[in-house]
């Protein structure tokens, strides 16, 4: 009689890979430590697939593969993501977004900054941000400041053109409103035709009396 092979623990550990890959131990780990874990998971998936197809490995083999997953998971050597640089750049960006200098930029430039800083903030608060992404995002924000400084003259010219365009539109709208108001006043001043009132009524009666 064949001994029943138990796959419960192996199934749990293979399914746990989703959680493990979201931890800094994994995504900040060395390529070697991640590679060993990935290989152990692949072996576990192969054993479970064979079981699904009707072929069972001996219990000793199932336990050995599961132990390999456990050991490689413990060997993951990633350190917690250091987001200090990213936080510093976002703090700087936050102050800039609240400044008059920011509101003086062209509208499209303001929208670009707001969009990129919001994305950077999401990366900063995410629990699964790896070190490489945190560093890359911090550098990107810093580069945005450098680029803006280099393009300051051009951006100011564009902002001035936008301001003049807005003022021209407002002036046109104001002139139109004043014209409409003037026309309304003219209409109100026009004399209205007076009705005959009671006098007309009595005249009408007098006319009919004469007819009698």
């Amino acid at each position: 009689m064949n001994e029943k092979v138990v796959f419960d623990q192996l199934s749990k550990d293979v399914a746990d890979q989703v959680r493990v890959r979201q931890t800094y131990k994994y995504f900040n780990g060395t390529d070697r430590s991640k590679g060993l874990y990935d290989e152990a998971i692949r072996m576990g998936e192969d054993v479970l697939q064979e079981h699904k197809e009707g072929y069972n490995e001996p219990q000793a083999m199932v336990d050995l593969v599961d132990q390999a997953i456990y050991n490689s998971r413990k060997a993951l050597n990633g350190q917690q993501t250091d987001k200090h640089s990213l936080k510093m750049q976002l703090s700087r960006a936050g102050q800039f977004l609240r400044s008059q200098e920011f509101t003086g930029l062209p509208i499209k430039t303001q929208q670009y900054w707001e969009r990129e800083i919001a994305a950077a903030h999401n990366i900063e608060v995410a629990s699964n941000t790896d070190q490489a992404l945190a560093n890359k995002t911090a550098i990107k924000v810093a580069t945005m400041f450098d680029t803006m400084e280099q393009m300051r003259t051009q951006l100011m010219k564009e902002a001035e053109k936008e301001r003049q365009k807005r003022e021209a539109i407002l002036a046109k709208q104001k002139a139109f409103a004043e014209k409409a108001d003037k026309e309304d006043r003219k209409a109100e001043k026009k004399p209205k035709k007076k009705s005959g009132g009671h006098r007309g009524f009595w005249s009408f009666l007098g006319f009919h009396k004469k007819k009698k």
Side-chain angles (χ1 to χ4, degrees), residues 6-48:
V6 179
F7 294 88
D8 293 357
Q9 189 59 48
L10 178 61
S11 296
K12 289 178 182 177
D13 287 338
V14 168
D16 191 44
Q17 65 178 294
V18 176
R19 181 195 64 80
V20 172
R21 288 194 168 97
Q22 295 296 313
T23 65
Y24 65 82
K25 291 264 185 195
Y26 178 86
F27 58 66
N28 281 338
T30 61
D31 290 341
R32 175 174 171 74
S33 70
K34 289 190 290 186
L36 290 173
Y37 177 76
D38 292 343
E39 179 62 19
I41 289 294
R42 188 190 63 76
M43 291 169 58
E45 290 174 337
D46 289 345
V47 170
L48 292 175

Side-chain angles (χ1 to χ4, degrees), residues 140-159:
K140 182 176 182 178
V141 176
T143 302
M144 287 170 63
F145 277 104
D146 293 340
T147 302
M148 185 187 65
E149 191 61 35
Q150 294 170 7
M151 298 180 64
R152 181 179 295 278
T153 302
Q154 180 183 338
L155 291 173
M156 291 302 102
K157 288 181 180 179
E158 290 179 11

Side-chain angles (χ1 to χ4, degrees), residues 5 73 150:
V5 181
R73 186 176 69 236
Q150 294 170 7

Side-chain angles (χ1 to χ4, degrees), residues 5 18-19 23 33 55 57 60 74 79 101 103 105 120 122-123 131 136 142 152 156 180 192 195 210:
V5 181
V18 176
R19 181 195 64 80
T23 65
S33 70
Y55 176 78
E57 293 283 359
K74 289 294 184 182
Q79 301 297 313
E101 181 182 3
T103 55
L105 292 173
N122 289 338
I123 291 172
Q131 192 64 59
K136 180 180 177 181
R152 181 179 295 278
M156 291 302 102
K192 295 181 180 178
S195 62
K210 290 176 183 177

